[in-house]
Amino acid sequence: MQQAIYRILDANLDRAREGLRIIEEWCRFGLNNPSLAEECKKMRQELAVLHTWEIRQARDTPSDVGTELSHPREETRDSIESLLQANLARIQEALRVLEEYGKLCLPEMGGVCKSLRYRVYTLESHLLNSDRHKKLYRSSLYLVTSSSENLLAIVDDALRGGLTLVQYRDKSTDDNIRLVKAQQLCKLCHDYGALLLVNDRVDLALAVDADGVHLGQQDIPIALAKEILGNHKIVGRSTTNPDEMQNAIAEGADYIGVGPVYKTPTKPGKEPAGLEYIEYAAQNCPIPWFAIGGVNLTNINYVVAAGGQRVAVVRSIMESEQPSVTVRQFLGCLG
Ligand SMILES: Cc1ncc(COP(=O)(O)OP(=O)(O)O)c(N)n1
Ligand SMILES: Cc1ncsc1CCOP(=O)(O)O
Ligand SMILES: [Mg+2]
């Protein structure tokens, strides 16, 4: 029995690693995207650790009845998309098999493969998914709103300046008002081709068909949010340190907030993580990340010098006399 399970693990570890290698080559040579290529490499290395001598020893190719079996569609690939799609599906299938059979004899394998499967979903979003993930990828400035009587006018002006990503954040209003505001913002953002995410509230995001949700450390698991909203929607997570960052990546976050960079009255009592954490993110974060917390047009150069390429702001835009001008200035600094 153990021998049979080890043969299944051996075959599927190979399958997942090969599939990842194929995706990695495209990220590296086709897309020239070092962070996606690095993410594939890291996943391959994590699988390599699981592929122990005992598991390899179980291999028995001559008596494997499946080596001759191939599907006709494996012989043809009519585009890069279909090649990527087929290999991403192969990796996900293999990880699912590893998760299930691993549980029978190697309990740690189940957990590791589950987390890898979520990361492959994220990779898939970046490589294949809709416009939505492409827009997220291209967005370097993220407006997180605060309560304001002029909410719609401010966001409208900011969108005119070229803003492409907005988060509706309102901690104090009644839900029936929040629902209407979220609906209005969603329509407004979509009229400009921008994305709207909702802070904290998966139910509101679902109700208004927003592009996703931003979750804090105390909120529900990312996988559950994706189950509720659908895998095609965006789920972000706030992080304040490297552990939270690694957990968010392992959970399949589409992007993360990194901060607070500086002390900010928008999050009273929250200790800043500082530019050191920005430097860490620049070196280690393979998914899109936004420096947040006290970022303004005076200090953005320090954030950029520390490796920040995307920032999220509240006051800098919400309190600006001319949001569209401020947006253009930020976009200018972020190149
Ligand atoms: C882009 C981004 N990053 C971080 C946060 C903060 O989220 P959270 O820690 O849940 O705090 P609240 O915003 O809910 O007060 C964010 N909203 N956006
Ligand atoms: C929501 C949030 N999360 C971390 S810092 C922050 C507030 C950032 O606000 P501001 O840009 O006004 O400093
Ligand atoms: Mg929150």
Side-chain angles (χ1 to χ4, degrees), residues 142 144 167 169 171 199-200 214 216 238 255 257 267 292 312:
Y142 188 178
V144 179
Q167 179 188 129
R169 177 177 183 269
K171 302 296 230 185
N199 177 258
D200 293 343
H214 182 89
S238 317
Y255 77 88
K267 281 294 270 187
I292 183 167

Side-chain angles (χ1 to χ4, degrees), residues 203-219:
D203 56 344
L204 282 186
L206 185 66
V208 306
D209 198 16
D211 296 290
V213 68
H214 182 89
L215 300 173
Q217 285 292 317
Q218 320 304 331
D219 296 325

Side-chain angles (χ1 to χ4, degrees), residues 277-306:
Y277 184 38
I278 299 299
E279 281 162 10
Y280 178 88
Q283 296 297 321
N284 296 285
C285 190
I287 60 174
W289 57 274
F290 294 83
I292 183 167
V295 179
N296 56 40
L297 285 167
T298 310
N299 60 27
I300 187 160
N301 289 340
Y302 298 110
V303 176
V304 171

Side-chain angles (χ1 to χ4, degrees), residues 255-276:
Y255 77 88
I256 55 170
V258 168
V261 188
Y262 300 106
K263 214 168 171 59
T264 166
T266 314
K267 281 294 270 187
K270 187 101 181 159
E271 275 311 302
L275 286 171
E276 261 173 43

Side-chain angles (χ1 to χ4, degrees), residues 100-265:
E100 290 301 321
Y101 283 93
K103 281 182 207 158
L104 290 172
C105 50
L106 299 166
E108 79 282 359
M109 186 174 277
V112 174
C113 290
K114 187 174 180 182
S115 145
L116 285 171
R117 194 156 53 80
Y118 292 146
R119 283 163 66 185
V120 173
Y121 289 145
T122 308
L123 191 63
E124 182 172 18
S125 306
H126 294 313
L127 289 172
L128 292 177
N129 256 10
S130 59
D131 271 2
R132 196 173 268 132
H133 285 80
K134 288 190 190 133
K135 276 184 194 165
L136 169 70
Y137 219 80
R138 289 191 205 120
S139 297
S140 58
L141 179 63
Y142 188 178
L143 167 62
V144 179
T145 66
S146 54
S147 310
S148 164
E149 297 210 332
N150 303 323
L151 178 65
L152 286 171
I154 295 169
V155 175
D156 193 338
D157 200 40
L159 291 165
R160 264 196 318 113
L163 182 72
T164 49
L165 181 58
V166 178
Q167 179 188 129
Y168 174 48
R169 177 177 183 269
D170 184 341
K171 302 296 230 185
S172 57
T173 313
D174 291 348
D175 269 359
N176 50 0
I177 298 174
R178 278 198 188 112
L179 180 61
V180 173
K181 296 261 187 239
Q183 258 157 353
Q184 291 171 331
L185 278 178
C186 196
K187 174 159 187 338
L188 179 63
C189 288
H190 289 177
D191 284 348
Y192 279 91
L195 301 173
L196 179 81
L197 275 68
V198 178
N199 177 258
D200 293 343
R201 298 284 298 270
V202 183
D203 56 344
L204 282 186
L206 185 66
V208 306
D209 198 16
D211 296 290
V213 68
H214 182 89
L215 300 173
Q217 285 292 317
Q218 320 304 331
D219 296 325
I220 63 171
I222 290 169
L224 181 55
K226 292 209 169 192
E227 234 169 78
I228 297 169
L229 296 178
N231 203 36
H232 54 300
K233 294 287 173 86
I234 294 169
V235 181
R237 176 81 93 195
S238 317
T239 72
T240 61
N241 59 52
D243 276 353
E244 290 178 357
M245 173 189 291
Q246 297 308 340
N247 288 339
I249 295 166
E251 267 196 276
D254 292 299
Y255 77 88
I256 55 170
V258 168
V261 188
Y262 300 106
K263 214 168 171 59
T264 166

